[in-house]
Amino acid sequence: MKLHGTMGIKDNTLYIGGVSTKELAKKYNTPLYVFDEELIRGNCREYKEFFKVKENKNKIAYAGKAFLTKYMCQLINEEGVYLDVVSGGELYTAHKANFPMERILFHGNNKTLDEIEMGVNLGVGIFVVDNFYELDILEKLCCEKNKVQNIYFRVTPGIDAHTHKYIKTGQIDSKFGFALTNGDFYMAVEKLKDYKNVNLMGIHAHIGSQIFEVSPYEEEVDIMLNLVKKLKEDYNVEIKEVDFGGGIGVYYTENDRPKSIKEFCEKIIEKCDEKCQELNIKVPTLILEPGRSLVANAGSTLYSIGSIKEIKDVRTYVSVDGGMTDNIRPSLYQAGYECAIVDKMNNEEGSHKVTIAGKCCESGDILISNTNIFDIESGDILITTSTGAYGYSMASNYNKIPKNPVVFVNNGEDKLICKRQSYEDLLSLEL
Ligand code: LLP
């Protein structure tokens, strides 16, 4: 198992942020999400440095869908990062955390009337307008309120990036954005001539998630900057900001070979500089919206091992006290993970090939298939790493299983930032 961030081994036991994971399991019980605060802050700083936030006034906006709590909002605010939200719920979380509204980008392919009104009333910085329906509502609403709302248009650039089909978004057959190829995008730009209460500041595209190659992003840069030039020349519209969407893919297992944040950012900046020179245009303000690459490797999940079922000549199932309710990614995207027993980190004897199963009533509730693990027993604490992105945020109460608490660790201290759901909490909405 690869050690991420501040992970270290002392006396055969895994520590994160200087805190023993074995002690964390004892103190908070399992299953439990543990986040390495230093690693998240370090990732924010790397993105800001290598994407030239200070130097060129570029922006990094954290994609909150990866993992959003009030504490996380406060943390990224302290780090000077913007926030991308996609729903009233995410916006409300940011509002309650006193996140500055002018630093928010509001995404979504079907924002409801209530969500649009909430965004306008709270004063979010940018609406990333996805479609004509939203554009018309926003104009009308802002007109009634005598406000001018800054917007970006979401463009469907027609890029088919290499990733799981559920998480690719740039291809032409997509529910997201105004397509370039069928002229929708240009029609939207035309409409703006009559619209006085929305102000087009920028354009946005997101080609997908967990992408390792930089070339699709370079293709995206080409398309978006060509568009900046075309809008100026053909429509006399000045685009000041260009947002390239989510960040680079991350390491889950040894099959993954991610680029570093540095390399990814530098390549994009370089490509933008070249392209702007070629087009003879001023380099606009550039924006990236990383979610996964800020938090995935910083998060881990601790489980207790219960039943170990050996089916001779078939498979050994090792069951844990969580599963698809706290990590849907293996079942949904066939995502791979690594694991270890937290106080047997250096054991090298008694290797077993086992399958780590969750506790839900579904055969598909498997967290890791056929992994090698050493000296495993019921009662052991198992850790799965890189669960920080799209774990907690996609958690469910299937089988009426309560959601895990979240603990942040840093400099030898642990801090509970989100409590475990109780059975009472589960019933709190029922009348
Ligand atoms: N910006 C937009 C408009 C997005 O739709 C997304 C992700 C991001 C930024 C952040 O992308 P990232 O840096 O995290 O790759 N649940 C899936 C991932 C869905 C991503 C949706 N959009 C998973 O667990 O793999």
Side-chain angles (χ1 to χ4, degrees), residues 63 65-66 84 107 154 167 204 206 208-210 245-248 289-293 329 333 389-390 394:
K65 71 205 81 179
D84 134 10
H107 280 280
R154 178 161 181 164
I167 51 178
H204 164 280
H206 170 73
S209 198
Q210 188 60 355
I248 195 77
E289 301 172 337
R292 191 190 310 268
S293 47
R329 300 193 69 262
Y333 316 115
Y390 307 108
M394 294 180 86

Side-chain angles (χ1 to χ4, degrees), residues 47 61-66 84 86 107-108 128 154 163-164 166-169 176 204-211 217 243-250 252 264 288-295 327-329 332-333 335 337 389-391 393-394:
Y47 261 112
Y62 170 58
K65 71 205 81 179
D84 134 10
V86 289
H107 280 280
V128 183
R154 178 161 181 164
T163 188
H164 193 286
Y166 290 0
I167 51 178
K168 64 167 100 174
T169 48
F176 297 106
H204 164 280
H206 170 73
I207 56 174
S209 198
Q210 188 60 355
I211 297 168
Y217 292 98
D243 183 338
F244 297 111
I248 195 77
V250 303
Y252 287 95
F264 173 61
L288 278 183
E289 301 172 337
R292 191 190 310 268
S293 47
L294 284 184
V295 291
N327 186 2
I328 189 73
R329 300 193 69 262
L332 194 56
Y333 316 115
Y337 284 88
Y390 307 108
S393 63
M394 294 180 86

Side-chain angles (χ1 to χ4, degrees), residues 91 104-107 111-112 115-121 123-130 134 138 141-142 149-154 199 202:
L91 183 55
I104 288 197
L105 285 80
F106 196 0
H107 280 280
K111 302 175 188 79
T112 65
E115 286 174 326
I116 294 174
E117 187 155 19
M118 181 178 173
V120 171
N121 286 345
V124 304
I126 299 282
F127 268 73
V128 183
V129 174
D130 180 276
E134 178 184 347
L138 197 56
L141 190 74
C142 290
Q149 176 66 54
N150 285 330
I151 63 169
Y152 294 168
F153 275 155
R154 178 161 181 164
N199 173 40

Side-chain angles (χ1 to χ4, degrees), residues 17-67:
V19 182
S20 154
T21 50
K22 176 109 186 165
E23 292 305 315
L24 285 173
K26 237 188 242 162
K27 179 166 172 185
Y28 296 103
N29 216 335
T30 58
L32 173 70
Y33 297 110
V34 181
F35 279 82
D36 179 347
E37 181 162 335
E38 195 176 307
L39 182 52
I40 300 179
R41 288 187 188 273
N43 288 338
C44 289
R45 288 170 200 175
E46 274 189 37
Y47 261 112
K48 283 180 64 187
E49 181 183 348
F50 298 114
F51 203 60
K52 300 199 174 172
V53 163
K54 268 218 184 99
E55 233 172 302
N56 293 8
K57 303 233 166 356
N58 292 334
K59 298 175 190 171
I60 296 297
Y62 170 58
K65 71 205 81 179
F67 168 67

